[in-house]
Amino acid sequence: HRVDRRQRQMCIRDRVSTQSTGGKKMLKLVGRRFNQNSLVSLYPFSFKSILARCYASEIKPNRNYSKSHEWIELKDQDEGTVGITDHAQKALGELVFVELPEIGKEFKSGDTIGAVESVKAASDIYTPVSGKVTQVNTTLTDSPGLLNTSPYDNGWILKIKLSNKKELDNLMDAAAYKEYLKEEN
């Protein structure tokens, strides 16, 4: 099989998945399967580096991250915007449903604030800090795919008024989150 340049670029972005068939690792690329030996002849880098490039997650520097893959960005002193990370949306796949919390509801750090459902999995969303929900992104109810296409910008989930700003110290900055993802994988 030959793979054209456009297909290689799609792979490098996010179109690769691994499968185990008969004890051999296989890649599924745009509806085709290639074994490790085929990839060596098609790509000038190793099997593992292909996967690393395809699953590399975007991490924004101006946010704090939780181990459950939520982020928070402070816009002012007491209010933060919360969402799921690029890594989380890639792991879940195409999102088809988002459950949002009620405005005015109070949560403690680590509480379930909602849920997301994809074509292959469902997952709870946890608040990285304690506080009161001041706003939710209602656009997500009609367009849950925004979490896939823009998890850090248009795909934010809620805004929360922090009740204990010191809880931010328990979260990871961008560099620490990047290391956490390396260890997790």
Side-chain angles (χ1 to χ4, degrees):
H1 299 300
R2 272 192 65 74
V3 177
D4 68 18
R5 185 175 186 187
R6 183 167 180 257
Q7 287 175 318
R8 276 196 302 262
Q9 289 171 344
M10 288 174 72
C11 165
I12 298 307
R13 285 193 206 116
D14 64 0
R15 291 291 203 166
V16 171
S17 64
T18 58
Q19 294 180 337
S20 184
T21 55
K24 285 187 173 182
K25 281 190 176 178
M26 302 287 282
L27 286 181
K28 185 177 180 185
L29 170 63
V30 193
R32 295 183 182 164
R33 290 183 183 173
F34 301 92
N35 66 27
Q36 187 171 350
N37 296 333
S38 301
L39 284 172
V40 171
S41 64
L42 295 171
Y43 298 99
F45 30 81
S46 74
F47 183 71
K48 284 185 179 179
S49 71
I50 291 169
L51 293 178
R53 289 175 190 222
C54 290
Y55 289 113
S57 297
E58 179 183 10
I59 301 169
K60 296 274 187 165
N62 57 342
R63 289 167 168 79
N64 294 85
Y65 298 88
S66 70
K67 289 185 177 184
S68 55
H69 307 288
E70 288 86 18
W71 58 265
I72 184 166
E73 177 184 33
L74 290 183
K75 293 280 185 182
D76 61 37
Q77 294 296 323
D78 296 339
E79 189 173 68
T81 304
V82 175
I84 64 169
T85 64
D86 185 49
H87 176 80
Q89 70 83 16
K90 283 181 180 178
L92 288 164
E94 183 184 347
L95 293 162
V96 295
F97 175 76
V98 179
E99 178 187 337
L100 299 170
E102 296 175 21
I103 294 174
K105 191 161 182 184
E106 293 192 29
F107 294 96
K108 299 238 184 259
S109 179
D111 284 352
T112 301
I113 55 173
V116 289
E117 247 178 68
S118 72
V119 294
K120 65 180 182 179
S123 180
D124 287 334
I125 305 168
Y126 304 97
T127 179
V129 294
S130 301
K132 184 178 184 178
V133 176
T134 58
Q135 188 178 351
V136 295
N137 188 354
T138 55
T139 307
L140 295 176
T141 50
D142 293 329
S143 302
L146 281 175
L147 286 169
N148 294 112
T149 58
S150 183
Y152 295 114
D153 299 313
N154 299 326
W156 61 274
I157 295 170
L158 62 88
K159 296 190 185 229
I160 190 167
K161 184 173 173 105
L162 282 67
S163 59
N164 183 0
K165 194 171 176 183
K166 290 188 179 199
E167 289 177 339
L168 292 170
D169 296 338
N170 299 330
L171 300 174
M172 296 173 274
D173 64 7
Y177 184 65
K178 186 175 185 176
E179 286 303 312
Y180 176 73
L181 291 179
K182 283 181 186 176
E183 291 172 13
E184 190 177 63
N185 292 330

